[in-house]
Amino acid sequence: MEFTRFCFLFFSIFLLSYVFSVHGRLYDYPKVSRFRALSQISLPPSPAPEGAPKIDYAIFNVLSYGAVGDGVTDDTQAFKMTWDAACQVDSAIILVPNHYSFMIQSTIFTGPCKSGLVFQIEGTIMPPDGPDSWPKSVSKKQWLVFYRIDGMSMQGGGLIDGKGEKWWNLPCKPHKGINGTTLPGPCDSPVAIRFFMSSNLTVQRLQIKNSPLFHFRFDSCRDVHVDSLYIKAPPNSPNTDGIHIENTNDVTIRNSIISNGDDCISIGAGCYNVDIRNMTCGPSHGISIGSLGFRNSRACVSNITVADSTIKYSDNGVRIKTWQGGFGAVSKVSFNNIRMESVRNPIILDQYYCDKRSCANQTSAVYISDVIYSNIKGTYDVRSPPMHLACSNSVPCTNLTFLDVELYPAQGQKILEPFCWNAYGALRTLTIPPVFCLLEGTPQSLPRSDVDQC
């Protein structure tokens, strides 16, 4: 019996020593949570490379700073205090623990912070419930903003619930009026999560649903890595883009599922070096570059790749959309190995984008060139042609390349012919249906002055 007790005691001491060696020691900062917090982290911040030194993480639990987590109490101040404390420590984890729901008002989390900051969401985070609950003195255009952050990871097995339904039902929203018309009244709606002027960001293994507007927005950021997100909103929820990037470069988006009421991913002006792969998108409005050139503005987008993905039951598949009157250029774009399932406009290039009944014709346009459509196969909704290439009268699209494109009607036997207007390019293989309307060669004049400004 004594020998059994001795063995049990020895094993217990060994197990505790092992746990602390794996997770790292806990710094003795005021209000830093103890061992209990470690058990609530579903996954480590990231797997360390073999042979790399172990990182000691300090755990900052929002409960230790006064958060209640009942879904009703305002926990904004507790989150701010937790952020301020963790921001000053190398390799800190802000822990939003499981089994709690935290209501947070519109907040800006400001850097710079020390390196290795992890925002670990294991519970639920939510905003006030609708416009009437939003403080009158606070902007209704954004909810959680991360500003001037370098080297942060946002992750976890929890949920970000945007509670967007009351925002979608504002009278000004397009689906409320007859035939898509809008009614007068306040219309500002908040983006759920916005990163602004930040770098070296990782957003991974998160669920987010029902944002009032965009779910994620990256503005003026660089080195952004998005992986394994699940984003969901109803198909009729207006302007609920899954991920929007603007003036942002060196971006990878991977292995995510997005179903919403607007673009799964939208790429705005000033973006380059963007690589999107292994996405499942729909119902939605597809994956879009644009809209660009709004109110006669300059737009420059280049080096964009969308590959190895599925788009289903969506209004659009892969799309480039620009307003008339803009200037600049879109170039070096590749759409490769994409499966379409009952998509209304699988391939659409629209330089006449307009969100009203009609827009005035203008001579200036964003120049589009060097776009490759390869190995795009599947079915289309027969309400629209499978390929729609509507380029500007004065600024034609050039060097459009089609290779292994096969699109069949989802219902019925009739194959609709593609639509082309002022679009120049080449068919590397015969497409289904054939794009015989594509113009060969190059146009006589090209807008070099606009392109030189990119």
Side-chain angles (χ1 to χ4, degrees):
M1 179 67 71
E2 291 297 321
F3 178 77
T4 303
R5 289 179 179 173
F6 174 80
C7 289
F8 178 78
L9 179 62
F10 178 83
F11 179 76
S12 299
I13 293 171
F14 173 80
L15 181 61
L16 284 173
S17 300
Y18 174 77
V19 168
F20 276 91
S21 69
V22 170
H23 289 288
R25 63 187 175 87
L26 295 178
Y27 292 93
D28 192 23
Y29 289 102
K31 296 187 178 179
V32 177
S33 61
R34 301 295 178 182
F35 177 76
R36 180 175 65 87
L38 287 171
S39 65
Q40 296 171 333
I41 299 176
S42 62
L43 291 169
S46 61
E50 219 175 294
K54 290 182 180 178
I55 300 174
D56 293 332
Y57 284 96
I59 315 296
F60 292 79
N61 191 326
V62 295
L63 295 176
S64 300
Y65 288 80
V68 176
D70 60 3
V72 178
T73 304
D74 186 352
D75 289 321
T76 308
Q77 195 59 35
F79 271 70
K80 285 183 176 180
M81 291 171 63
T82 310
W83 174 272
D84 290 342
C87 191
Q88 305 306 314
V89 178
D90 284 323
S91 304
I93 295 177
I94 297 173
L95 178 61
V96 181
N98 199 4
H99 308 303
Y100 294 90
S101 296
F102 300 93
M103 193 277 286
I104 310 174
Q105 305 279 359
S106 178
T107 304
I108 300 177
F109 296 101
T110 303
C113 295
K114 293 293 183 72
S115 63
L117 180 63
V118 177
F119 204 110
Q120 186 82 18
I121 302 172
E122 298 294 332
T124 298
I125 299 177
M126 63 184 69
D129 189 15
D132 294 339
S133 302
W134 211 265
K136 293 183 179 179
S137 59
V138 176
S139 169
K140 290 185 171 66
K141 293 185 177 181
Q142 55 197 26
W143 175 35
L144 301 182
V145 180
F146 296 85
Y147 174 59
R148 290 191 179 277
I149 309 300
D150 181 28
M152 187 183 102
S153 176
M154 176 182 283
Q155 61 184 41
L159 171 68
I160 301 169
D161 184 354
K163 301 181 77 68
E165 185 174 359
K166 292 180 180 178
W167 299 92
W168 307 331
N169 290 330
L170 288 171
C172 63
K173 298 297 181 178
H175 70 294
K176 299 301 292 183
I178 300 172
N179 295 327
T181 58
T182 59
L183 302 175
C187 210
D188 284 346
S189 301
V191 172
I193 308 290
R194 183 188 182 203
F195 290 91
F196 181 46
M197 296 183 68
S198 297
S199 58
N200 300 311
L201 302 170
T202 298
V203 179
Q204 60 186 352
R205 301 192 301 267
L206 276 175
Q207 298 180 65
I208 180 170
K209 69 175 186 178
N210 297 339
S211 175
L213 205 67
F214 300 169
H215 287 78
F216 282 98
R217 179 175 180 131
F218 297 89
D219 284 307
S220 302
C221 296
R222 62 179 176 82
D223 294 323
V224 175
H225 308 283
V226 176
D227 200 335
S228 303
L229 298 187
Y230 181 70
I231 301 174
K232 185 172 179 59
N236 65 345
S237 56
N239 303 117
T240 53
D241 294 43
I243 301 168
H244 177 77
I245 60 175
E246 191 103 12
N247 295 311
T248 293
N249 61 80
D250 300 322
V251 179
T252 61
I253 302 174
R254 299 272 192 277
N255 310 317
S256 298
I257 299 172
I258 303 175
S259 173
N260 59 336
D262 210 310
D263 297 328
C264 285
I265 301 171
S266 52
I267 300 168
C271 293
Y272 59 91
N273 297 344
V274 179
D275 193 276
I276 300 166
R277 295 177 189 269
N278 197 25
M279 304 296 296
T280 300
C281 171
S284 70
H285 292 183
I287 297 175
S288 294
I289 297 174
S291 57
L292 305 175
F294 182 58
R295 292 181 178 171
N296 304 328
S297 61
R298 181 175 73 106
C300 298
V301 175
S302 64
N303 294 334
I304 310 295
T305 297
V306 180
D308 308 329
S309 297
T310 297
I311 302 175
K312 55 186 181 180
Y313 311 115
S314 297
D315 282 0
N316 305 292
V318 291
R319 175 166 62 160
I320 302 174
K321 52 179 178 175
T322 70
W323 295 80
Q324 292 190 73
F327 62 100
V330 176
S331 64
K332 298 179 182 176
V333 178
S334 173
F335 298 112
N336 176 52
N337 192 28
I338 298 173
R339 176 72 184 175
M340 302 286 180
E341 297 180 16
S342 297
V343 175
R344 185 168 181 178
N345 298 288
I347 295 173
I348 178 167
L349 196 164
D350 182 12
Q351 290 209 274
Y352 297 87
Y353 180 73
C354 177
D355 62 355
K356 306 176 221 177
R357 287 180 176 246
S358 63
C359 294
N361 286 334
Q362 299 188 50
T363 56
S364 178
V366 177
Y367 176 44
I368 296 174
S369 65
D370 301 316
V371 182
I372 298 175
Y373 301 94
S374 64
N375 195 25
I376 298 178
K377 299 179 180 180
T379 60
Y380 62 94
D381 183 322
V382 294
R383 290 177 294 173
S384 301
M387 287 168 265
H388 183 96
L389 310 173
C391 300
S392 165
N393 281 326
S394 55
V395 184
C397 307
T398 64
N399 201 22
L400 308 180
T401 301
F402 291 82
L403 173 68
D404 293 332
V405 175
E406 297 178 9
L407 296 167
Y408 297 91
Q411 296 178 343
Q413 301 299 317
K414 185 178 180 181
I415 297 179
L416 299 179
E417 291 185 6
F419 172 84
C420 305
W421 185 262
N422 216 16
Y424 287 77
L427 305 180
R428 297 301 179 204
T429 62
L430 184 64
T431 64
I432 300 175
V435 194
F436 292 144
C437 56
L438 195 66
L439 300 174
E440 295 182 354
T442 57
Q444 293 182 351
S445 60
L446 292 174
R448 298 312 315 171
S449 60
D450 285 353
V451 177
D452 290 342
Q453 297 183 51
C454 287

